[in-house]
Amino acid sequence: MSAITFAVQLLNGVQYGLVLFLVASGLTLVFGILGVINLAHGAFYMLGAYFAWWIAAYTGSFLMALIGGVALSFMLGLLLENVFVRRLYGRDHLAQVLLSFGLILVVDELRQILFGKDVYSVKPPPWLEGSIQLTDNLSYPVYRLALCLFCLVLAALIFYVIQRTKLGMIIRAGAENRDMTRALGIPFDSVNRYVFAGGIALAALGGILVSPISTVYPGMGDGMLILSFVVVVLGGIGSVAGAAIGALLIGLTDTFGKVFFPQVSSILIYVLMAGVLLWRPNGILGKREA
Amino acid sequence: MSDVTKPAAALAHPILTSGLDRRRFLAGAAGLATLGAGFTPSAPAIAQAAPLKVGFMLPYSGTFAKLGKFIDDGFRLYVEQQGGKLGGREVAFFQVDDESKPEAATDNMNRLVGREKVDVVVGTVHSGVAMAMVKVARDSNTMLIIPNAGVNEATGPLCAPHIFRSSFSNWQVCYPMGKVMHDAGHRKVVTITWRYAAGQQMVAAFKEGFSAAGGSVIEELALPFPEVEFQALITQIATLKPDAVFAFFAGGGAVKFVKDYAAAGLNKTIPLYGSGFLTDGTIPAQGEAANGIKTTLHYADNLDNAANKAFLSSFKAKTGQDGDIYAVQGFDGAALLNLGLTAVKGDMGARPAMIEAMRSAKFDSPRGPMSFNRANNPVQDVYLREVRNGRNEMIAIAQKSVDDPARGCKAQS
């Protein structure tokens, strides 16, 4: 493999990893901060992509689709938190799994009623439509590069909010010790709903941003859900930095696995996960339990 | 398109799409009415006066729902054109939604065969489900007409006199592409598909045809089903610089592959070929990226024959939609059954004669002339199509009267 090909594959791996991070970040936030397992994360990823297709079809603008899709999903998240999810804080995981599994069914049926089951595609904004020539016969879509950049900015933004703002401080305190935070009069509960809705919005944002380079189809969230869980478990549950590391590891493993070990590429990421868990049972940046 | 399931990751879709079984009992009344006429018929006459029970086991929900509906519509269209009869008998339809779930296939099939006691089963799209249906049909000696699933085994090692296919075999639609690509001057080709039964059968058939023509497959790329992250493999294709690429994907995967291939600029230097499913029913989503892709299949959107024109206009009149290969395969399934039943005057008891009539049938399908081989798989023309004007237009006959070799099928009487 020439140095140039290697570099291109490296780029492929990093780009895939960044997309995985984008989707998995919402899952790890909701899981880590609220203690809620959200199996419907993949379903909201799919819903985001359908929102993007729908809004883009009506307005012709990807930017509108992006803003509108995220806003719709955020509101949906608030509604769901208010009606269902807040009853589950502190309950055992089985109840959460049941609820979020139910949500998968509902979201899927809604998608069926609203958008049907055809395969759709979404056009990227015109100023990102071109491509860059990488080798003599291979070019790389500008949109993919922009997506990388966007994911990096978003990652920085999430870090900033959690580590440097008052809101982030409340979130961290609540995640550390919920009862003590409440006892100190910190409005942790009212923050919860925004964390949950934010998680849903991040899943949908992933679907929206991926829609121009992927396709919009009914089962698109299923594979993503599994991969997101692998990323979250690998990186350490609740750790955003861990999710970033986990996602990049998986992106690179998957890409180079397909190139060098095509026969076993499907199991490589799970082998990686098993190996990491043997070494660090709580994930790469997971908290050590006492 | 055989095992083209949707991406169904471990947790997910088979369960998600499960609903109640949508069994409906239709059109029975008309047939029953003829029984109450108050005369004393002889025994065979009773058998023929009762409606013929046709059981549809098709995907009415899930990713393949549209395909199942079109097969159903195509079949019913033919029956309507015969005045609601096949072989002179009224027809009662039974429907079971197979949901494209292989694990439920045996139960669903047994429901039609055991409980409803249907005379003929028509199904299905998904090859995994079709394999289970073939096994039950063999065990219970039930007539089965497969209106889509292309899995080679159904008319190969598992062939049986009472199992017919009105569609294609995976081998059949890909083998002719070998010579086509060689004739186009391509000598070194890379193949790419999902690593599962249908993909492997199609690629193997192409490779067989291409090697026979004198070309060589320099690399067989594959990724796990139903993954759609193609970027690493597309980069490999760019590095290998083959003369051309042969691909099998379908549905959402086909859309994404074709778009990714074009986005990488490869369509400018390395032409993309494939089995027809790469561009069938997916062109609206693929858009310009699909332009110029050449595929082989036993049907094309603009076939210029009388049967096809008549079919397309009556299908449009019945359903308001444009007919496609799936509707044709349903339509032909009914035509085939009608031929067999007519030969025995509607008497299912005379099955050997009926089967003989079906196997020796020759008729003008909307897809072109059609007959059957010893394993009951269609012998038919396979077309070379090119994506132009947003549809798959025929540019040549890739190979006339393609006959699946029916490997592993023991000689049938």
Side-chain angles (χ1 to χ4, degrees):
Chain A
M1 182 181 275
S2 71
I4 292 172
T5 313
F6 183 82
V8 174
Q9 294 290 22
L10 197 65
L11 176 64
N12 288 334
V14 169
Q15 188 251 312
Y16 184 39
L18 285 170
V19 169
L20 285 178
F21 166 74
L22 176 63
V23 182
S25 60
L27 187 68
T28 204
L29 281 177
V30 170
F31 200 174
I33 294 165
L34 306 181
V36 170
I37 297 179
N38 183 15
L39 287 187
H41 200 71
F44 289 106
Y45 167 80
M46 174 194 71
L47 203 61
Y50 272 92
F51 280 154
W53 166 76
W54 183 56
I55 298 172
Y58 272 94
T59 64
S61 153
F62 184 75
L63 198 65
M64 286 297 290
L66 181 68
I67 297 167
V70 170
L72 272 177
S73 323
F74 191 79
M75 286 188 289
L76 190 64
L78 284 180
L79 181 77
L80 288 173
E81 201 275 344
N82 210 24
V83 180
F84 300 112
V85 178
R86 68 198 189 118
R87 293 164 213 285
L88 295 180
Y89 298 137
R91 296 269 293 272
D92 71 39
H93 288 322
L94 180 62
Q96 301 166 354
V97 165
L98 277 176
L99 173 79
S100 54
F101 187 73
L103 280 178
I104 298 183
L105 299 177
V106 172
V107 169
D108 214 53
E109 202 59 37
L110 267 180
R111 187 264 312 148
Q112 174 86 9
I113 293 165
L114 292 176
F115 308 117
K117 50 198 157 223
D118 279 342
V119 179
Y120 299 111
S121 65
V122 178
K123 265 192 174 324
W127 48 281
L128 288 177
E129 250 178 332
S131 54
I132 296 169
Q133 202 69 25
L134 287 185
T135 67
D136 53 345
N137 64 351
L138 185 71
S139 49
Y140 211 78
V142 175
Y143 185 83
R144 280 182 187 265
L145 296 173
L147 184 59
C148 289
L149 205 64
F150 189 93
C151 290
L152 288 172
V153 171
L154 191 79
L157 196 68
I158 295 174
F159 282 121
Y160 178 79
V161 169
I162 294 197
Q163 299 298 334
R164 292 278 183 272
T165 63
K166 182 128 188 276
L167 180 70
M169 210 187 292
I170 295 172
I171 290 171
R172 277 182 291 143
E176 196 67 37
N177 190 326
R178 192 171 316 207
D179 295 331
M180 184 56 79
T181 313
R182 279 202 195 97
L184 291 172
I186 295 166
F188 175 62
D189 293 285
S190 59
V191 168
N192 276 348
R193 79 179 52 133
Y194 296 107
V195 172
F196 183 80
I200 299 290
L202 277 173
L205 179 64
I208 294 165
L209 289 174
V210 164
S211 63
I213 54 166
S214 177
T215 46
V216 183
Y217 61 97
M220 64 183 289
D222 305 347
M224 207 38 123
L225 174 69
I226 308 288
L227 281 171
S228 299
F229 267 106
V230 173
V231 165
V232 169
V233 170
L234 193 64
I237 289 163
S239 162
V240 177
I245 295 171
L248 283 174
L249 269 179
I250 288 186
L252 291 170
T253 307
D254 186 76
T255 301
F256 285 101
K258 277 178 184 151
V259 177
F260 292 121
F261 313 102
Q263 291 305 316
V264 293
S265 62
S266 55
I267 58 165
L268 275 182
I269 57 173
Y270 302 102
V271 171
L272 172 75
M273 181 172 81
V276 168
L277 291 184
L278 278 175
W279 165 55
R280 292 182 76 97
N282 291 314
I284 295 169
L285 294 184
K287 274 179 269 180
R288 300 260 166 178
E289 272 164 39
Chain B
M1 144 159 34
S2 56
D3 282 295
V4 190
T5 41
K6 70 179 354 192
L11 274 174
H13 252 275
I15 312 170
L16 306 190
T17 49
S18 82
L20 297 170
D21 280 328
R22 279 156 229 187
R23 269 191 307 128
R24 280 187 286 150
F25 174 63
L26 292 167
L32 287 172
T34 57
L35 272 180
F39 59 98
T40 358
S42 62
I46 288 187
Q48 286 162 49
L52 179 78
K53 293 183 176 180
V54 174
F56 286 137
M57 182 163 155
L58 292 167
Y60 291 100
S61 64
T63 308
F64 291 154
K66 187 177 164 199
L67 282 53
K69 183 79 174 63
F70 268 42
I71 290 169
D72 182 313
D73 285 338
F75 195 99
R76 285 175 199 266
L77 174 64
Y78 186 88
V79 175
E80 281 168 23
Q81 288 178 356
Q82 307 299 311
K85 294 181 179 182
L86 287 177
R89 285 175 67 179
E90 298 285 340
V91 181
F93 292 110
F94 296 79
Q95 291 176 305
V96 167
D97 180 6
D98 71 33
E99 300 169 47
S100 297
K101 283 163 71 175
E103 65 274 20
T106 305
D107 285 345
N108 284 333
M109 183 72 177
N110 280 330
R111 188 169 302 155
L112 282 175
V113 174
R115 199 191 303 164
E116 311 293 1
K117 305 209 182 323
V118 298
D119 298 305
V120 184
V121 176
V122 177
T124 187
V125 173
H126 185 283
S127 277
V129 178
M131 288 293 278
M133 294 175 71
V134 164
K135 287 189 178 110
V136 175
R138 284 169 66 95
D139 291 345
S140 62
N141 205 20
T142 308
M143 273 299 288
L144 173 65
I145 295 176
I146 303 171
N148 186 65
V151 58
N152 288 342
E153 285 83 351
T155 56
L158 293 177
C159 73
H162 55 281
I163 296 173
F164 279 82
R165 180 142 60 187
S166 64
S167 50
F168 63 93
S169 73
N170 290 336
W171 185 92
Q172 191 172 34
V173 292
C174 292
Y175 181 85
M177 187 53 113
K179 186 167 182 309
V180 168
M181 287 176 69
H182 189 268
D183 288 350
H186 305 308
R187 295 294 177 269
K188 292 185 304 171
V189 164
V190 168
T191 64
I192 181 166
T193 185
W194 279 311
R195 192 179 294 111
Y196 78 130
Q200 283 164 333
Q201 290 186 348
M202 294 217 189
V203 164
F206 160 73
K207 196 179 171 189
E208 192 187 328
F210 192 55
S211 306
S216 66
V217 172
I218 57 171
E219 182 82 44
E220 292 179 51
L221 300 173
L223 71 168
F225 180 79
E227 259 189 48
V228 292
E229 186 56 34
F230 301 115
Q231 208 61 29
L233 298 183
I234 283 176
T235 304
Q236 264 195 299
I237 292 173
T239 314
L240 290 164
K241 295 194 171 61
D243 299 336
V245 170
F246 175 87
F248 167 72
F249 294 106
V255 175
K256 184 163 192 304
F257 180 76
V258 165
K259 285 179 68 185
D260 284 358
Y261 195 83
L266 289 184
N267 57 344
K268 293 190 200 85
T269 50
I270 307 172
L272 179 60
Y273 293 77
S275 88
F277 307 105
L278 191 64
T279 55
D280 229 79
T282 51
I283 295 177
Q286 286 162 334
E288 285 171 18
N291 282 345
I293 294 177
K294 294 195 178 93
T295 59
T296 43
L297 200 70
H298 52 303
Y299 190 67
D301 292 335
N302 63 335
L303 284 189
D304 189 22
N305 66 55
N308 192 40
K309 284 180 187 157
F311 169 77
L312 287 177
S313 72
S314 48
F315 191 82
K316 182 104 185 176
K318 175 179 160 68
T319 65
Q321 288 177 290
D322 292 318
D324 62 5
I325 183 56
Y326 304 104
V328 169
Q329 289 168 170
F331 186 80
D332 287 342
L336 175 66
L337 188 58
N338 186 47
L339 267 160
L341 278 168
T342 306
V344 295
K345 299 190 170 54
D347 181 10
M348 284 289 290
R351 213 165 71 174
M354 175 180 162
I355 285 170
E356 190 45 48
M358 287 166 76
R359 189 177 296 160
S360 55
K362 283 188 170 50
F363 57 97
D364 286 321
S365 156
R367 74 186 82 171
M370 180 165 165
S371 59
F372 290 85
N373 70 0
R374 66 186 177 94
N376 301 347
N377 193 64
V379 176
Q380 55 195 339
D381 295 348
V382 169
Y383 304 101
L384 176 63
R385 308 114 39 95
E386 182 176 340
V387 179
R388 293 174 185 162
N389 311 317
R391 55 184 200 159
N392 291 295
E393 297 193 349
M394 174 192 149
I395 51 176
I397 294 178
Q399 187 179 336
K400 276 202 81 68
S401 307
V402 186
D403 183 6
D404 184 279
R407 288 177 189 130
C409 175
K410 298 204 181 74
Q412 291 183 31
S413 55

